[in-house]
Amino acid sequence: MQPQNPMPAPPPITPENNPYDFITNPGPAAKKSWIPSGNSTGQRLLIVSVGLLIIVIIFAIVASLIGGAGQGDKQVLLSAALQQQELIRVAGVAEEKTRGNSAKDLATTVKMTLQSDQSELQAIVKKSVKLDAKTLATSRNAETDKLLTAAEQTNRFDEFYTQYTKEELTKYQSTLKKMHDGTNNKEDRATLAKHYEHIGLLLGTESN
């Protein structure tokens, strides 16, 4: 019987094959996330608070955008009411001071037409904007009064009033169109379309 061969000696331990390296060199520590893991009550509260803050910020941004659009719409509504009021006022002045039949008839027709439309327009405006006598009084343009006085003194009142009215009616008609295009209410759209046509007749043009 042959003697057993002795077992080979284990290889020397080196840094490359050290089986206990995990003890002496545990390796780099895991990086700590800046986001709380939610393992504690405090961390959960922090996560909820941050989430709520983000929601509030988003809501504020959306509300601001919606509010800005709303303010623009309200300005158009108020402009329409004030433009209409000023046209009526100036037409009343012109009824008394015009000399020729053409200008006087224009003043009378403008005044009657806009006064007949006024209650309907103001009803639409008041749905979104506070409108009272004090607000309507702000429509009076002192510069227009100066120009009317100067035109009267130079015997050009009729000419000035006719030109003024055409320009202001055109601006008012444009505002009515903005109101019409800015609302989805069918009744209001029909009313504004009718008023738009009335201005077209006053200007002697066909409405589009």
Side-chain angles (χ1 to χ4, degrees):
M1 182 175 180
Q2 295 181 350
Q4 295 181 349
N5 294 329
M7 294 183 64
I13 295 176
T14 64
E16 289 77 13
N17 63 3
N18 185 357
Y20 308 106
D21 187 57
F22 70 93
I23 298 175
T24 57
N25 296 299
K31 293 183 179 180
K32 188 175 182 179
S33 174
W34 62 274
I35 302 177
S37 61
N39 294 328
S40 67
T41 302
Q43 290 175 331
R44 293 192 188 98
L45 289 174
L46 179 59
I47 293 173
V48 172
S49 299
V50 172
L52 289 175
L53 179 60
I54 293 174
I55 293 174
V56 169
I57 292 174
I58 294 174
F59 178 80
I61 293 173
V62 173
S64 176
L65 293 174
I66 294 175
Q71 290 299 323
D73 294 339
K74 290 180 180 179
Q75 186 59 47
V76 171
L77 296 173
L78 183 58
S79 294
L82 296 181
Q83 287 174 329
Q84 183 189 61
Q85 178 66 21
E86 181 67 349
L87 278 162
I88 292 172
R89 183 187 75 84
V90 175
V93 174
E95 275 188 313
E96 298 179 0
K97 296 189 175 183
T98 48
R99 297 181 179 180
N101 291 333
S102 178
K104 189 176 292 293
D105 289 345
L106 175 62
T108 300
T109 305
V110 168
K111 183 179 177 181
M112 291 179 60
T113 300
L114 295 184
Q115 282 182 331
S116 67
D117 290 346
Q118 193 169 36
S119 61
E120 291 179 336
L121 180 74
Q122 290 187 3
I124 296 174
V125 174
K126 287 178 180 179
K127 292 179 181 180
S128 303
V129 179
K130 180 181 178 181
L131 190 65
D132 52 25
K134 185 176 181 180
T135 303
L136 288 172
T138 64
S139 67
R140 182 165 185 161
N141 190 325
E143 185 61 29
T144 298
D145 288 339
K146 291 180 181 179
L147 293 173
L148 288 170
T149 300
E152 183 180 18
Q153 293 173 346
T154 56
N155 296 320
R156 299 184 63 185
F157 189 94
D158 289 18
E159 179 184 349
F160 172 79
Y161 173 70
T162 300
Q163 183 62 33
Y164 163 87
T165 299
K166 289 181 178 180
E167 292 176 357
E168 294 304 311
L169 283 175
T170 300
K171 294 177 184 178
Y172 175 56
Q173 189 180 47
S174 177
T175 303
L176 288 176
K177 187 176 188 306
K178 291 179 181 178
M179 285 182 64
H180 175 275
D181 295 344
T183 181
N184 293 322
N185 186 297
K186 292 183 178 180
E187 293 182 1
D188 290 350
R189 287 175 66 89
T191 298
L192 293 168
K194 179 182 66 175
H195 291 188
Y196 184 92
E197 292 176 357
H198 291 171
I199 304 305
L201 292 174
L202 290 174
L203 289 170
T205 60
E206 294 183 359
S207 58
N208 294 322

